[in-house]
Amino acid sequence: MRISDLSRQTGVPIATIKFYLRERLLPPGTPTGRNQAVYGEAHLRRLRLIRALTNIGQLELTSVRELLTAIEDDRVPLPALYTLVDRALFPQEPALHSVEGAKQVRTDVDRFVEELGWSLDTDAPSRDRLALVVLTLQRLGCECGMEYFTPYAAAAEKLAVQDLDLLPADGVGADRAAVVVRGVLLDVALSALRRMAQEHHATLRFGPKKADARHA
């Protein structure tokens, strides 16, 4: 297919596709003449992957490039691939440890993770991100200890196991692109579902019918 076909099938402007080609985010096509090339299904899939990570996942192109490189490098084991997704979604928060009270909250998060029995790097960005959430909630007057997050952790673990069950038992031959795109997009899906659930239950509890019943 020609570059115009890639554009038509993905909705990505030709100028953007050419940019991806120049930046080597998209591999070159097979030359057919001067300044002309043809592209295959692999290019179509890569283009859709890039757009999913940038449009839905809201990742920077720098992070997308790192993830694409890791997808293609079979020497990067699956656990490391998940770590890279974690780092892409949760960039390091250099200001965290300079905030008063941050050190204690980070200690609480580390203890929480240890009690869960989870094995992950001590410098995993998600640790700092959770600590930042807890600290910010406390500073806004929303007092909640780490025990508040126990149900979140239980749900997260169940979902993680469900995702991993999609892979071969030994991980060999796993679709590495699918691993990355699920890691990014399912975060978006979980957030969307939680918001829908909140709206639903808020309506049930505090909606017009409840208000009418109180004034009856």
Side-chain angles (χ1 to χ4, degrees):
M1 69 184 79
R2 299 171 65 87
I3 195 170
S4 57
D5 298 317
L6 283 179
S7 177
R8 185 176 64 256
Q9 293 191 45
T10 62
V12 180
I14 292 177
T16 302
I17 296 175
K18 290 182 176 179
F19 170 76
Y20 291 157
L21 287 166
R22 288 196 304 272
E23 293 296 314
R24 299 188 182 278
L25 291 166
L26 195 65
T30 303
T32 58
R34 181 168 180 158
N35 297 325
Q36 291 187 338
V38 294
Y39 305 90
E41 289 298 320
H43 294 89
L44 192 61
R45 187 171 190 245
R46 170 63 72 89
L47 191 53
R48 286 171 173 161
L49 175 61
I50 293 171
R51 297 302 275 183
L53 295 176
T54 55
N55 285 6
I56 304 176
Q58 296 291 296
L59 296 184
E60 300 285 344
L61 280 180
T62 301
S63 297
V64 173
R65 186 192 304 279
E66 292 175 356
L67 290 174
L68 292 176
T69 299
I71 287 171
E72 295 175 345
D73 189 351
D74 291 334
R75 294 171 299 176
V76 178
L78 285 179
L81 197 57
Y82 281 105
T83 299
L84 287 172
V85 172
D86 183 27
R87 295 187 186 284
L89 291 172
F90 300 127
Q92 294 283 3
E93 295 286 347
L96 175 63
H97 298 294
S98 64
V99 179
E100 182 181 357
K103 185 176 180 180
Q104 179 57 53
V105 173
R106 173 57 196 267
T107 298
D108 293 342
V109 168
D110 290 341
R111 185 182 303 112
F112 181 67
V113 171
E114 183 179 355
E115 291 172 351
L116 290 170
W118 290 357
S119 175
L120 66 158
D121 291 344
T122 56
D123 63 345
S126 48
R127 290 178 183 260
D128 273 1
R129 185 54 60 95
L130 179 56
L132 183 63
V133 168
V134 175
L135 181 62
T136 302
L137 285 173
Q138 292 176 351
R139 286 177 172 271
L140 290 172
C142 305
E143 290 295 335
C144 59
M146 293 309 304
E147 68 279 357
Y148 182 82
F149 295 93
T150 299
Y152 284 83
E157 183 155 22
K158 183 176 180 180
L159 291 172
V161 171
Q162 177 176 290
D163 295 344
L164 291 172
D165 283 345
L166 296 173
L167 304 177
D170 57 3
V172 177
D175 185 336
R176 297 167 63 84
V179 166
V180 167
V181 78
R182 280 198 298 265
V184 174
L185 298 192
L186 291 182
D187 261 32
V188 179
L190 178 59
S191 178
L193 286 167
R194 182 174 178 274
R195 289 191 180 103
M196 286 190 282
Q198 283 182 324
E199 182 177 346
H200 166 68
H201 284 283
T203 300
L204 290 179
R205 293 191 184 195
F206 313 119
K209 291 182 180 179
K210 291 288 185 179
D212 291 345
R214 285 198 301 271
H215 294 292

